[in-house]
Amino acid sequence: VEVLSTALFACRRSAARSIQSIWRYVLQRRRFVMIRQAVLRLQAHGRGLMARRLSAALRRHRCAVRLQCAARGRSARRRRCHLMFALGRLQRAIRAWRARRQLARCLGSTVRIQRWRRRTVRRLREKRRWLCALLVQRAWRGHTGRKVCKLRMAAQQRRRSAGSRLLHSWRTRVCDRVMHRHENRDVMGRGGTLDRSSFGYVGECQALAEANTSGELLAAAGALRGR
C-alpha cells in the first residue's frame, strides 16, 4: 500500500507539475499577447502621431513654399514688368539712335552721290567741250595744213618746173657749145658719120674730155637724150 501510495504521489506530483507548466505557459502566452498587442498599439499610435506631425509639418512647409513661390513670383513679375518697360524704352531709344544715324549716313551718302554726280556731269561736259574743241582744231589744222601743203606743193612744182626749164636751157646751151667745139675740131668722118673703126676716135674723145668739164659733158649727154 505504501508503494502504491508513493507511486500515486509521484504520478500526481508530475501531473501537477505538467498542469502548472501548461497553465504558466498559457498565462505567459496571454500576457505576451497582451503586451505585444499593447506594444503594437503604442507603436501604431506613435507612428500615427509622428506621421500626423510630419504631414502637418509638410503641409506647413508646402504652404510656406507656396506662399514663398507666390511672393517670389509676384516680385519677379513686378521686376519683369519694370525690366520690360525699361528694356522697351531702351530699345526705342537705341532704335531711334540707329534710325537717326542711318538717316545721317543716308543723307551724307546722298550728298556725296550728288557731289560725285555733279562732278561727273561737269567733267563729262568739259570733256565733250574739249573733244569738240579738239575736233574743231583738228579740222581747222587739217584744212590749214592741206591749204599750206597745196601751196607748198604748188610752189615746189613751180620751182621744179623752173629748175627743169633752167636745167634744160642750160643743158641745151652746154650741148650747143660742146657740139660747136666738136665741129670746130672736125672730128666727124666722111659722110658726116663718126669713124668708129679708126683709132682717132679714142684720141678725139680724150681731147673732147680734156676740153670740157665733166658737168658740161653730162649736161650735153642729157640734152642729147632729151632730143
Side-chain angles (χ1 to χ4, degrees), residues 25-78:
Y25 169 76
V26 171
L27 290 177
Q28 293 296 328
R29 181 67 181 175
R30 288 178 181 176
R31 186 178 179 182
F32 172 74
V33 171
M34 291 174 63
I35 293 171
R36 187 176 65 179
Q37 290 178 355
V39 169
L40 291 175
R41 288 178 182 176
L42 287 173
Q43 288 179 353
H45 284 293
R47 291 171 182 171
L49 179 61
M50 292 176 65
R52 285 190 294 273
R53 289 180 180 177
L54 182 61
S55 63
L58 289 175
R59 282 195 296 271
R60 287 193 299 271
H61 179 69
R62 189 178 296 114
C63 293
V65 169
R66 288 180 180 178
L67 289 175
Q68 289 177 357
C69 290
R72 290 173 182 172
R74 183 180 179 182
S75 62
R77 285 190 293 273
R78 186 179 297 175

Side-chain angles (χ1 to χ4, degrees), residues 63-107:
C63 293
V65 169
R66 288 180 180 178
L67 289 175
Q68 289 177 357
C69 290
R72 290 173 182 172
R74 183 180 179 182
S75 62
R77 285 190 293 273
R78 186 179 297 175
R79 186 163 57 256
R80 179 178 176 276
C81 290
H82 289 296
L83 290 176
M84 291 299 292
F85 180 72
L87 183 61
R89 294 183 61 182
L90 183 61
Q91 286 179 350
R92 286 194 295 272
I94 292 174
R95 289 171 182 171
W97 174 71
R98 287 183 177 177
R100 287 192 296 271
R101 187 175 65 178
Q102 187 69 23
L103 180 61
R105 288 181 180 177
C106 291
L107 291 176

Side-chain angles (χ1 to χ4, degrees), residues 90-124:
L90 183 61
Q91 286 179 350
R92 286 194 295 272
I94 292 174
R95 289 171 182 171
W97 174 71
R98 287 183 177 177
R100 287 192 296 271
R101 187 175 65 178
Q102 187 69 23
L103 180 61
R105 288 181 180 177
C106 291
L107 291 176
S109 301
T110 304
V111 172
R112 287 194 295 272
I113 291 171
Q114 289 177 352
R115 291 177 181 175
W116 173 79
R117 179 62 180 173
R118 289 169 184 171
R119 286 197 301 269
T120 305
V121 172
R122 186 168 57 253
R123 288 176 182 173
L124 289 175

Side-chain angles (χ1 to χ4, degrees), residues 132-198:
C132 293
L134 285 179
L135 291 174
V136 173
Q137 289 177 359
R138 184 169 60 187
W140 175 250
R141 288 172 183 173
H143 174 69
T144 55
R146 287 189 295 271
K147 187 175 181 181
V148 171
C149 183
K150 287 179 180 180
L151 293 175
R152 289 181 180 179
M153 289 178 68
Q156 187 177 5
Q157 187 67 27
R158 288 195 297 272
R159 286 195 298 270
R160 286 181 180 178
S161 299
S164 298
R165 289 194 298 271
L166 289 173
L167 183 61
H168 181 68
S169 63
W170 177 74
R171 285 178 178 178
T172 303
R173 288 196 302 271
V174 171
C175 183
D176 293 337
R177 187 169 58 249
V178 170
M179 293 300 295
H180 183 67
R181 289 177 184 176
H182 185 65
E183 288 176 356
N184 290 333
R185 288 182 177 272
D186 196 16
V187 295
M188 298 296 295
R190 282 183 305 175
T193 60
L194 183 63
D195 190 6
R196 297 178 184 268
S197 61
S198 62

